Amino acid sequence: MRNDPMSFPNFRNKMAQGSTSIDRWRIPIGFAIAKVILHIPFLGRYGIHGDELYFLACGSRPALGYVDHPPLVPMVAALARLFGGHSLVALRIPSVLAGAVTVLITVRLAQELGGQRFSAWVAGIAMLAAPMYLRMNAILCIPAFEVAIAAVGAWLLLRALANGRAWQWAALGAVGALGLLAKHSMIFWLLGVAVGVSLTPQARRQGGWLIWLGAGIALLGLGANLLWQIPHGWPSLEFYRLIRQDQLMGIPPWLFLLGQLVYLNPISAPLWLSGLWAALQRSSGNARVLGIAYLVWLAILLVTRAKPYYLAPAYPPLIAFGAVASERWISRRSVRAAAWARRGLVAGLTASGIACALIALPVLPLPVVDGLLRPVVAPFGVRPMDLTFEHHLEFGWAEERNTVSRAFRALSQEDQRHCVILAKSYTQAAALEYFAWDGTRPPIVSGHMTYYLWGPGPFEPETVLAVGFEPMELRRTFAEVVEVARVGHPLAVDSERYVGVHVCRGLLLPWRQAWPSFKRFRFGPGL
């Protein structure tokens, strides 16, 4: 195999040599530790995220599935709550560790592709400097685990193809199953790998029947979730159909592609693009499987429409490939030019990473961040909150509980005994469940996402305290609708900044008959 700077001729030899000595792990472990150190100081700086509240609510009701996601992350949330109580650090540490695993595997993959010290450092810095990974590893969220699982899967896939051992294929299948328990879209990764193997004769020959072993084990994760989907009437399919109508169809392909450049850090673009090109070369051997898998995944997301971060799990291998390719390209320059190229690449990644961290992590007070962004994005008609939206979702939840609690205590004792709190969104319902109440807390229900399947509450209410609805929505179900309070927080997202609290009486239908009218498996406005 020719010594092309854009191919990986040493990969199989590296695997065959079992290059796993402690010396080879020092740099990957060092970057993994750096990832943890980078996040720890900021884990509790703002507040709890709305989606984290929902994961905790789901985790307190164990199941094999939920309307908008599989069960893995709610299980993680439940364990974090069991061992860490209400600690935000305990809740978010699993995402930080998932990020550390992703960085470790990416750097290690660069080494096993034949890279030396420089490519290992470039891969590590690029992973630390990507705003997409900085943000998703700062809170408990599904993408953090999806990316880590895909990175481990890519590493195991290349090792299995190189060594052909049954246990490696079984391990790869187990990782695939775990991925499908994290997010349904991991099926796209498995499909991409399948296409990549089928189009790479060397991989197809080396995998043989063991490929089917890995695929069969992987599909067990999907099968487990199907055991929940079938008796519940396939709610996730309805959710995906509606989110595509409400949100995804509004994301044009050019914006999705632009997001790949921005979310990964624009300075890293030449790195992963060169990695993709290198991986697709025939001389790259088994590494070509992952290059093809990326293109398949990209094509699926472009056709079906997707948010830019949906492709996040596909990039760690490309960054590793690109780091090796860049090292080989630089090594062909003159000594002076190579030295400047190395310094420039490391300096550019580091400086841009620091700038990205100031936005992606809660380093500064949020009003300061928005203020710094305003003169930069305003000429393009973009609000600072459009870039810091996820940060704003960490504000206003305790204030909502306080306002609703006061409204409940203002009711007569008779009304309190027969009262149900109805929240419009799952974040509102989960926040009201999460924060402690003074005295007795009434049942809290919602028609949003999986809350709808959890039902309308234990009894027929005479009074309903509705949170987040417009009066006209409530008058379809109640004869009397009176606004008693408004929830407000200056840093909350728009939909949570001025939330109405209404006392509703006089059901026009029995409560359980009215319940289906509150069903909402979407994020758009209205019921």
Side-chain angles (χ1 to χ4, degrees):
M1 192 175 292
R2 65 191 178 90
N3 188 20
D4 191 321
M6 297 301 280
S7 65
F8 310 108
N10 296 324
F11 181 79
R12 185 171 174 80
N13 291 335
K14 291 286 181 181
M15 291 299 185
Q17 294 168 6
S19 177
T20 57
S21 67
I22 188 63
D23 289 338
R24 298 290 287 174
W25 283 96
R26 284 177 180 170
I27 295 178
I29 291 174
F31 272 103
I33 293 172
K35 176 70 171 176
V36 174
I37 293 173
L38 177 63
H39 282 279
I40 290 294
F42 309 111
L43 290 183
R45 184 168 176 82
Y46 292 168
I48 191 166
H49 191 280
D51 286 345
E52 291 174 320
L53 293 167
Y54 181 44
F55 292 139
L56 286 167
C58 291
S60 68
R61 301 165 173 90
L64 287 174
Y66 304 90
V67 168
D68 46 338
H69 51 75
L72 179 65
V73 174
M75 291 169 57
V76 172
L79 290 173
R81 182 72 174 270
L82 178 64
F83 293 105
H86 278 64
S87 168
L88 269 183
V89 174
L91 182 65
R92 292 169 172 175
I93 276 291
S95 284
V96 175
L97 295 179
V101 168
T102 304
V103 172
L104 183 146
I105 292 297
T106 304
V107 178
R108 182 63 184 142
L109 188 56
Q111 293 176 326
E112 292 187 343
L113 288 165
Q116 302 302 312
R117 181 182 296 271
F118 177 73
S119 61
W121 274 81
V122 167
I125 295 172
M127 288 299 295
L128 294 181
M132 179 162 57
Y133 300 137
L134 284 169
R135 183 54 192 157
M136 67 178 54
N137 294 129
I139 59 174
L140 183 71
C141 65
I142 292 173
F145 299 91
E146 186 187 15
V147 171
I149 290 167
V152 173
W155 182 61
L156 285 174
L157 173 66
L158 293 182
R159 296 184 73 86
L161 288 171
N163 300 324
R165 295 171 183 164
W167 72 265
Q168 291 175 329
W169 283 101
L172 175 61
V175 168
L178 190 64
L180 290 171
L181 290 173
K183 192 171 182 181
H184 295 122
S185 61
M186 281 296 289
I187 194 72
F188 298 151
W189 182 79
L190 295 174
L191 179 61
V193 168
V195 174
V197 170
S198 68
L199 295 180
T200 307
Q202 176 182 330
R204 192 168 61 248
R205 288 193 304 270
Q206 291 170 343
W209 69 270
L210 292 173
I211 295 173
W212 297 103
L213 172 65
I217 295 174
L219 291 175
L220 292 176
L222 184 61
N225 186 242
L226 291 179
L227 292 176
W228 180 86
Q229 295 285 342
I230 293 171
H232 288 87
W234 302 92
S236 294
L237 291 181
E238 182 179 352
F239 163 71
Y240 291 130
R241 177 178 61 82
L242 292 173
I243 192 176
R244 188 167 185 268
Q245 292 176 359
D246 291 343
Q247 295 185 350
L248 303 185
M249 290 304 294
I251 302 175
W254 69 265
L255 186 59
F256 177 86
L257 294 173
L258 179 63
Q260 308 312 303
L261 300 177
V262 174
Y263 283 14
L264 280 160
N265 186 335
I267 303 299
S268 297
L271 199 65
W272 63 262
L273 285 170
S274 65
L276 174 62
W277 176 256
L280 290 172
Q281 304 305 302
R282 291 186 180 276
S283 56
S284 296
N286 291 332
R288 191 165 180 256
V289 172
L290 292 174
I292 295 172
Y294 172 86
L295 292 181
V296 171
W297 202 345
L298 173 64
I300 291 173
L301 294 181
L302 283 173
V303 169
T304 60
R305 300 294 182 93
K307 297 179 181 180
Y309 73 85
Y310 284 12
L311 197 55
Y315 285 103
L318 298 189
I319 289 174
F321 299 160
V324 177
S326 67
E327 181 181 57
R328 292 179 180 174
W329 183 84
I330 290 173
S331 69
R332 295 163 65 93
R333 310 302 104 189
S334 67
V335 174
R336 184 180 181 85
W340 278 106
R342 291 190 185 97
R343 291 171 190 155
L345 181 57
V346 170
L349 288 172
T350 302
S352 60
I354 293 172
C356 290
L358 293 176
I359 299 173
L361 297 178
V363 178
L364 302 171
L366 189 50
V368 173
V369 177
D370 285 345
L372 292 173
L373 287 173
R374 187 168 291 108
V376 177
V377 300
F380 302 97
V382 177
R383 302 179 307 163
M385 186 185 289
D386 296 331
L387 299 181
T388 59
F389 181 81
E390 294 295 327
H391 289 315
H392 286 274
L393 277 170
E394 297 181 37
F395 291 90
W397 306 117
E399 290 75 12
E400 178 181 290
R401 184 285 318 270
N402 293 338
T403 301
V404 175
S405 177
R406 286 194 296 270
F408 175 73
R409 291 198 304 270
L411 298 174
S412 67
Q413 291 187 356
E414 181 65 20
D415 281 342
Q416 290 181 18
R417 282 195 296 269
H418 300 91
C419 179
V420 166
I421 294 179
L422 174 66
K424 183 169 183 178
S425 74
Y426 64 66
T427 48
Q428 294 162 351
L432 294 173
E433 287 186 353
Y434 176 79
F435 292 101
W437 284 59
D438 297 329
T440 303
R441 190 195 75 185
I444 297 169
V445 301
S446 176
H448 198 202
M449 301 302 180
T450 314
Y451 267 98
Y452 174 76
L453 300 181
W454 295 334
F459 55 78
E460 184 86 1
E462 295 181 4
T463 302
V464 172
L465 203 57
V467 182
F469 292 88
E470 294 298 325
M472 61 180 298
E473 296 175 308
L474 297 170
R475 291 193 179 104
R476 303 171 192 168
T477 308
F478 303 96
E480 179 185 341
V481 176
V482 179
E483 183 177 299
V484 294
R486 282 262 166 183
V487 179
H489 191 289
L491 294 180
V493 296
D494 292 341
S495 60
E496 302 292 341
R497 191 169 296 176
Y498 301 106
V499 175
V501 180
H502 297 83
V503 173
C504 305
R505 297 183 178 89
L507 277 164
L508 302 178
L509 289 172
W511 183 232
R512 292 191 176 275
Q513 290 183 31
W515 184 243
S517 67
F518 295 107
K519 177 183 177 181
R520 191 161 65 102
F521 286 179
R522 65 199 317 161
F523 292 111
L527 293 174

